Amino acid sequence: MNIQNNGLPGAARVLRQTFGTTILGLAVLAAFAPGAVHSQTIKIGVPVPLSGSNANAGTDIVDGAKLAAARINAAGGVLGKQIELVPEDDACDAQTAVQAAQKLVDAGVAAVAGGYCSSAALPELSTFHRAGIPYVLDASTNPKLTEMGYDNVFRTIGRDDEQGPFAASFIKNSLHAKRAAVIDDNTTYAKGLAQNTVEALKKDGVDVVYADSITPGQMDYSPTLTKVASLHPDVIYYTGYFSEAGLIVKEARQLGLKMTLMGGDGTNDPTLMKTAGPAADGMIITTSPLAQFLSGAHGFVDDYTKAYGHGPGPYSVYEYDAVGVTARAIADAKSASPAAIIAALHKIKDYPGVTGTIGFNPKGDRAVAVYITIIVRNDEFAAYQRQDASGKWVTMK
């Protein structure tokens, strides 16, 4: 499946065939050049961390949104209007997130596609709900986001209560671990994933010898690691973010810990390897499939690399689909009214996203969410294992 043909009018295919991928790179630059604001636009907000330790992930998400907007605009836009992105920095902080969300409401956005830290997405969602604006999440996975009964929230990625049992199954049935330690960073996302994993591990008969939080931002986690090591787990599963994960992995190996080190999807950023160095080799991560491991995303990876000079990070492709499915809803509704967009999003069942077919259940969650495991090899992420239709763990090719 070629990304440029996903749900696009014929004009997009003509542009692709005539000008090649260069048109997308030019469109990205033009859309964000000084003076490029259109008088007739449909604004889509993108709240993400653009400062602080998670800024790398936020920038990656914005870049995915830009690529999607460039594709849509090159094909003529939606309802005869261009898509105008409005990024806002929420810094992965609840208070800052409220301010960022209100700025987007005041800017007159018709919809919002973004989110990274669930701790920021939760207060953002409350603001957007009061304003009646749809919020399509690309990376925020805490179950509470779609359990509050709000009709304006949607998600192009899975939930922590889906990833937790997946991680537990891998730990028991692929690693054959008998004893596990689970560490979180006390944030909304990390605690949610940790709790769901611990519950599933216990249900599966794995002895959880340690389940506790660290404080993010510290310079030394060796006391926690020493305590964990004394409990002799076969595997340590860290559910926080990549900035701390790199240091934890590095210190674990410096202390001589030999057990399998794992991380949740918040650790799947190249910064992990930059921080941990060679110690990261062999670390296993549970995650939604990265773009480079999706058969339908080769065109996306090529276009992203040409536009930005490096490969896509983990959530850019889910943001690309979040913007794309939002544009599809606007087109289906034949209106840029937030209420009409919300109604149209609820009706979408088969949007041909780059990450696969997207449809939403009544709560707004993606109807079918997929997870895989990846492994760090030679300073890069490589596909590792997935579950087949029968639930058996198989090596990915």
Side-chain angles (χ1 to χ4, degrees):
M1 177 173 63
N2 189 296
I3 186 172
Q4 283 71 29
N5 293 343
N6 287 345
L8 282 176
R13 292 191 291 274
V14 172
L15 283 167
R16 171 72 173 188
Q17 292 163 1
T18 305
F19 299 103
T21 55
T22 304
I23 187 70
L24 285 176
L26 292 174
V28 168
L29 294 174
F32 290 84
V37 178
H38 302 283
S39 59
Q40 291 291 322
T41 63
I42 298 173
K43 295 181 179 180
I44 296 179
V46 185
V48 287
L50 297 174
S51 61
S53 61
N54 296 300
N56 189 56
T59 299
D60 175 66
I61 290 169
V62 171
D63 285 345
K66 289 179 181 179
L67 204 63
R71 171 183 65 89
I72 295 163
N73 290 340
V78 184
L79 307 181
K81 298 182 179 182
Q82 297 280 282
I83 294 294
E84 178 187 347
L85 299 180
V86 187
E88 278 294 341
D89 180 16
D90 66 21
C92 272
D93 173 76
Q95 184 174 351
T96 305
V98 172
Q99 298 168 353
Q102 190 59 52
K103 287 180 181 179
L104 291 175
V105 172
D106 295 342
V109 298
V112 178
Y116 180 64
C117 293
S118 293
S119 54
L122 282 163
E124 287 166 354
L125 174 58
S126 295
T127 299
F128 297 137
H129 178 67
R130 288 193 296 270
I133 295 171
Y135 191 5
V136 183
L137 299 158
D138 72 312
S140 302
T141 55
N142 187 269
K144 187 178 178 181
L145 285 156
T146 48
E147 291 289 342
M148 293 190 290
Y150 293 167
D151 68 346
N152 67 313
V153 60
F154 305 87
R155 199 165 1 209
T156 61
I157 201 163
R159 297 168 31 142
D160 294 334
D161 53 359
E162 294 169 319
Q163 183 179 182
F166 174 87
S169 175
F170 176 81
I171 289 169
K172 178 183 179 180
N173 300 313
S174 180
L175 296 181
H176 304 292
K178 304 295 184 183
R179 299 164 63 84
V182 180
I183 304 174
D184 67 77
D185 67 2
N186 212 30
T187 62
T188 301
Y189 150 74
K191 284 189 72 68
L193 178 55
Q195 290 168 358
N196 281 284
T197 303
V198 168
E199 290 174 5
L201 284 169
K202 290 180 177 179
K203 185 177 180 180
D204 288 346
V206 177
D207 186 11
V208 179
V209 298
Y210 184 90
D212 207 347
S213 306
I214 60 164
T215 301
Q218 293 185 344
M219 301 302 293
D220 182 12
Y221 294 107
S222 57
T224 296
L225 290 168
T226 300
K227 181 178 181 180
V228 171
S230 70
L231 301 172
H232 307 292
D234 301 310
V235 59
I236 297 176
Y237 185 47
Y238 177 66
T239 65
Y241 294 96
F242 57 85
S243 50
E244 283 75 32
L247 181 57
I248 288 172
V249 169
K250 183 177 181 179
E251 291 183 339
R253 296 313 188 205
Q254 287 175 340
L255 289 170
L257 277 60
K258 302 297 184 183
M259 70 282 291
T260 300
L261 300 180
M262 290 181 59
D265 55 355
T267 68
N268 62 0
D269 187 280
T271 306
L272 170 76
M273 286 83 88
K274 293 179 182 178
T275 303
D281 200 62
M283 182 179 179
I284 299 170
I285 296 171
T286 59
T287 182
S288 296
L290 306 187
Q292 58 266 40
F293 306 135
L294 289 164
S295 60
H298 299 308
F300 170 82
V301 173
D302 290 344
D303 287 336
Y304 189 103
T305 303
K306 289 178 181 178
Y308 305 115
H310 57 83
Y315 297 107
S316 56
V317 68
Y318 294 91
E319 173 68 4
Y320 185 97
D321 277 352
V323 173
V325 76
T326 301
R328 163 76 173 271
I330 295 169
D332 289 351
K334 298 181 175 58
S335 170
S337 159
I341 298 169
I342 291 171
L345 281 165
H346 277 291
K347 295 177 182 177
I348 289 177
K349 302 297 180 186
D350 58 355
Y351 175 75
V354 179
T355 58
T357 301
I358 295 175
F360 302 109
N361 67 21
K363 292 181 180 180
D365 284 308
R366 185 166 180 162
V368 179
V370 177
Y371 286 97
I372 64 170
T373 60
I374 59 177
I375 189 168
V376 179
R377 285 178 175 153
N378 301 318
D379 206 34
E380 292 183 347
F381 291 127
Y384 190 51
Q385 291 186 352
R386 62 175 179 82
Q387 286 179 296
D388 63 15
S390 67
K392 180 181 178 182
W393 288 94
V394 296
T395 299
M396 296 177 64
K397 298 179 180 180

